[in-house]
């Protein structure tokens, strides 16, 4: 069973402080600010523990508080990493461009960042473009649950009558994977990525688009004891072995979200087609 790394002791923190001096001036400034914030958090933790010990208070609220704070830390780390590496959603408004010097981030930057708000909701930017609806990104179609809606659609066919693809709501990037001509319905997928949908022709130019339920099941394992827990996704490889994918999550809900995100990056053709179930190890 895997164990969480123990917290850094005073000697290790001193070593980190010494190594900061070896960085370039630009990097040393923001890394030092992070270290100072870490030290303030450590001091505050000591005060909280001392207060609890003196009052004899321990309880269920403690584990809930720790889980929430752990998730906030993970979300913040991902937000900063994204801004640093690629920039996203208004990153150009910061005083330093991504890939140059680390941006100076104020409280208002956090409050106004749509990327940070998306991450706090447990959502990620899709690593592939979603379908469009009359020229506008149609994220809710890919990210939503099972749903049926009326759409304008037509099947584009070759000379021999075989389907070449579909045009749905003005988007011509839909692939036809299966067709049942007798029932006037087919299974479609946008650019071969994301969920599959069943398209049922109603009349000329009008159809029902229904998202298919997941056809695959994969396990997310819970590991660890006590306050902190960790999750990993069990994924079968082509050679018959199993890959264990560590998930950056402190709660079951976020573990599912992280598993979906990993699936979207590594197997976009299966995104939205896998149901995740929990198990303990």
């Amino acid at each position: 069973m895997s164990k969480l790394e123990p917290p850094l002791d005073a000697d290790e923190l001193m070593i980190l402080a010494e190594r900061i001096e070896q960085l370039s001036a630009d990097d040393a400034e923001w890394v030092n600010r992070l270290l100072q914030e870490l030290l303030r958090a450590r001091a505050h933790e000591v005060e909280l523990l001392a207060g609890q010990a003196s009052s004899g208070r321990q309880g269920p609220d403690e584990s809930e508080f720790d889980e929430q704070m752990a998730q906030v830390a993970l979300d913040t780390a991902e937000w900063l990493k994204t801004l640093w590496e690629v920039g996203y959603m208004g990153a150009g408004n910061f005083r330093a461009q991504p890939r140059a010097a680390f941006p100076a981030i104020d409280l208002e930057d956090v409050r106004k960042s749509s990327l940070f708000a998306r991450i706090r909701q447990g959502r990620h930017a899709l690593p592939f473009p979603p379908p469009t609806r009359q020229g506008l990104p149609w994220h809710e179609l890919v990210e939503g649950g099972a749903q049926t809606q009326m759409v304008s659609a037509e099947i584009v066919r070759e000379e021999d009558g075989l389907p070449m693809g579909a045009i749905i709501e003005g988007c011509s990037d839909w692939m036809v994977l299966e067709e049942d001509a007798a029932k006037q319905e087919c299974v479609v997928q946008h650019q071969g990525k994301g969920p599959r949908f069943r398209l049922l022709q109603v009349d000329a130019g009008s159809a029902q688009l229904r998202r298919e339920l997941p056809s695959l099941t994969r396990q997310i394992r819970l590991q660890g004891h006590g306050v902190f827990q960790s999750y990993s996704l069990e994924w079968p490889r082509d050679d018959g072995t199993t890959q264990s994918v560590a998930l950056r999550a402190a709660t079951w809900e976020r573990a599912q979200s992280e598993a979906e995100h990993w699936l979207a990056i590594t197997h976009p053709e299966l995104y939205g087609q896998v149901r995740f179930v929990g198990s303990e190890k």
Side-chain angles (χ1 to χ4, degrees), residues 14-46:
M14 289 299 298
I15 293 175
L16 290 179
E18 294 172 358
R19 294 186 63 180
I20 291 177
E21 299 177 358
Q22 303 173 10
L23 299 175
S24 63
D26 290 340
D27 288 340
E29 180 181 358
W30 69 265
V31 174
N32 185 62
R33 290 182 61 185
L34 287 177
L35 179 60
Q36 294 303 316
E37 189 63 27
L38 170 64
L39 294 176
R40 281 193 292 269
R42 179 64 62 82
H44 184 57
E45 179 187 30
V46 172

Side-chain angles (χ1 to χ4, degrees), residues 10-266:
D11 291 337
E12 291 172 318
L13 290 174
M14 289 299 298
I15 293 175
L16 290 179
E18 294 172 358
R19 294 186 63 180
I20 291 177
E21 299 177 358
Q22 303 173 10
L23 299 175
S24 63
D26 290 340
D27 288 340
E29 180 181 358
W30 69 265
V31 174
N32 185 62
R33 290 182 61 185
L34 287 177
L35 179 60
Q36 294 303 316
E37 189 63 27
L38 170 64
L39 294 176
R40 281 193 292 269
R42 179 64 62 82
H44 184 57
E45 179 187 30
V46 172
E47 293 175 359
L48 286 176
L49 293 176
Q52 291 177 1
S54 61
S55 62
R57 180 173 61 85
Q58 296 180 1
D61 291 341
E62 181 179 349
S63 62
E64 181 179 356
F65 174 80
D66 287 339
E67 285 188 355
Q68 292 176 352
M69 293 305 296
Q71 194 62 67
V72 169
L74 292 175
D75 293 339
T76 302
E78 182 179 351
W79 178 58
L80 295 178
K81 180 176 181 291
T82 305
L83 291 178
W84 174 258
E85 292 183 346
V86 297
Y88 194 79
M89 292 184 181
N93 296 327
F94 289 114
R95 290 180 289 278
Q97 295 296 320
R99 298 181 184 273
F102 197 84
I105 300 173
D106 299 326
L107 182 58
E108 283 302 303
D109 298 324
V110 176
R111 288 175 174 171
K112 295 179 179 179
S113 172
S114 55
L115 170 62
F116 188 61
R118 183 180 179 90
I119 293 173
R120 286 297 299 127
Q121 295 168 4
R123 302 162 63 197
H124 295 272
L126 287 174
F128 52 85
T132 59
R133 186 172 199 173
Q134 304 305 326
L136 298 177
W138 202 357
H139 286 94
E140 60 270 21
L141 182 68
V142 178
E143 297 178 328
Q147 52 187 326
T148 301
Q149 50 192 302
M150 296 300 298
V151 296
S152 61
E154 64 174 302
I155 304 298
V156 180
R157 300 185 180 279
E158 299 177 351
E159 293 182 357
D160 57 4
L162 294 177
M164 295 175 55
I167 302 176
I168 303 175
E169 290 293 313
C171 179
S172 60
D173 295 329
W174 289 88
M175 299 172 55
V176 177
L177 306 179
E178 304 172 12
E179 182 181 30
D180 188 332
K183 295 182 178 180
Q184 290 189 312
E185 67 179 25
C186 56
V187 176
V188 297
Q189 187 180 34
H190 181 257
Q191 293 186 345
K193 302 174 182 178
R196 296 186 176 191
F197 297 84
R198 188 165 296 273
L199 185 69
L200 173 62
Q201 203 72 30
V202 176
D203 52 39
S206 180
Q208 285 185 353
L209 185 66
R210 184 179 75 247
R211 180 169 175 168
E212 296 279 82
L213 294 175
S215 58
L216 300 174
T217 301
R218 296 292 181 264
Q219 288 189 342
I220 294 179
R221 293 194 179 277
L222 169 64
Q223 299 173 307
H225 289 289
V227 173
F228 294 105
Q229 300 174 338
S230 63
Y231 297 86
S232 62
L233 170 65
E234 301 297 307
W235 190 264
R237 295 190 178 98
D238 294 337
D239 60 4
T241 60
T242 300
Q243 177 184 4
S244 181
V245 181
L247 302 175
R248 290 171 50 83
T251 65
W252 165 249
E253 290 76 14
R254 286 303 299 271
Q256 294 181 87
S257 175
E258 293 297 320
E260 285 281 6
H261 184 54
W262 178 87
L263 186 64
I265 294 175
T266 59

